[in-house]
Amino acid sequence: MPKDAAVEEFAGLVRALKARDGRSYEALGRRLSVSASTLHRYCSGATVPEEFAVVDRLALLCGADEEERRALEVAWTEADRARRRAASPAPMPVPAAPAAPESNPEPSAPEPGPGPAPDPTAPDPSAADPSAPEAPRARPRRGAPAPLLVAAAVALVVLALAAALLGHPTRTASAPAPASTAPGRTAAPLPFTWSIGSQLWEGGCGHTYLVDRAPRAVAPPPVAADSGAWAGTHGAVHGGEALVRITVQGRSPSDAVVLHALHVRVVDRAAPLPWNAYRMDNGCGGAVTPRHFAVDLDRPRPLARPVDGLDASGAEVRKIPAVSFPYKVTSSDPEELLVSARTAGCDCRWYLELEWSAGGRTGTVRITDGGKPFRTSGTRGRPAYVHDSAEGRWITESDSGQTG
């Protein structure tokens, strides 16, 4: 029963990951290089994967954070142990049962019972003849080997149990190992706080969303402050570029936290979405383009590259020099990191990892969009629409005169 409970707990975590992602078994299976039926068996608990790697890829694909991945590994370890024990049950105690009755001299004692008749005629040599076939029955002497067999069987059982008991803590110790080391890292709170803004528009007014709806079913563009609700209602995906602002602030006014690097991790690449592109431009003029980190998601290994900003709010355009890592933050001196992730040729799901150190501690924080990867898809070749505020409807860029 504990085995079934361990497998069911693991299957429940896998089902939760799939439900969070929302894609079908076929779509997720293609990303994981497993069949849809195999993934379904993982989710139902009918099968436990032999290696954790495929489960870890699923966790990354579905945006699981590091703590969730550790819990998933612990659950997989317990479920895998249950699978192995069910696949190879120890049959050692079974042979010990028949060995015990053979060791008793009582059952063999009544069989020489017909022998007492020859006892009074013991001097007759003819009596020895019938006893000859029973001479092999002198197995009562096996009374000596029988205890040895029992002892050997018991020893085998003891050794098997010892091996099982030794194997048990070995695997369970490996399960808590991540939990014991990781809690060591996460027992104390992070020495800083962080937050993100993932529905930003360039200059506060220019952005493109991909939406799987016809123009008449799409609401007018919102103001930038309401972009998150608009995108959520329409199931919109960033088109061509996603801007992510990360705000990092230390907890102490004196003990600085050093931010060492920002890494980009692409967990899934697919063909660009075949949806309509809707531009949020409201005709606002140039302002300030802050310094930021540019990310080319189309590269095999994207990097966050520091880029200069521009201030066009005055009479002259002024460059805002880029600043690379490391940064230092305290409670009174926070830092904002702006990431511009662009793509032309993929529907990319990605997240960021921020390396830090403080007071002898080091770590990496995974930056996600509310627990899920960020998502950006190319817009090349997609029908593009802008909103005609005079007529109150979406029209093509060619009709608006913004092309050519």
Side-chain angles (χ1 to χ4, degrees), residues 383-397:
Y385 295 88
V386 295
H387 194 262
D388 187 335
S389 56
E391 296 189 13
R393 65 187 182 91
W394 292 95
I395 59 176
T396 63
E397 285 187 327

Side-chain angles (χ1 to χ4, degrees), residues 132-204:
E134 302 210 330
R137 280 253 183 195
R139 290 183 184 176
R141 292 188 177 180
R142 285 202 178 179
L148 292 177
L149 288 175
V150 175
V154 171
L156 287 175
V157 173
V158 171
L159 289 174
L161 290 175
L165 290 175
L166 289 174
H168 182 279
T170 301
R171 291 192 62 82
T172 50
S174 66
S180 60
T181 54
R185 296 179 185 173
T186 57
L190 288 173
F192 61 93
T193 61
W194 62 272
S195 61
I196 66 161
S198 61
Q199 297 292 340
L200 306 181
W201 295 358
E202 185 177 357

Side-chain angles (χ1 to χ4, degrees), residues 10 32 70 149 167 214 232 234 238 274 315 344:
F10 168 72
L32 300 172
R70 287 196 297 268
L149 288 175
H234 291 79
H238 295 296

Side-chain angles (χ1 to χ4, degrees), residues 246-284:
I246 309 166
T247 304
V248 186
Q249 184 173 20
R251 295 183 183 272
S252 168
S254 56
D255 298 331
V257 178
V258 180
L259 309 179
H260 293 280
L262 188 66
H263 302 291
V264 185
R265 310 296 186 200
V266 178
V267 295
D268 187 34
R269 296 178 189 271
L273 295 169
W275 297 355
N276 293 331
Y278 295 90
R279 299 188 58 178
M280 304 288 112
D281 299 24
N282 292 326
C284 55

Side-chain angles (χ1 to χ4, degrees), residues 198-226:
S198 61
Q199 297 292 340
L200 306 181
W201 295 358
E202 185 177 357
C205 60
H207 195 64
T208 299
Y209 285 110
L210 288 167
V211 180
D212 190 18
R213 296 188 186 183
R216 61 180 177 276
V218 177
V223 296
D226 297 333

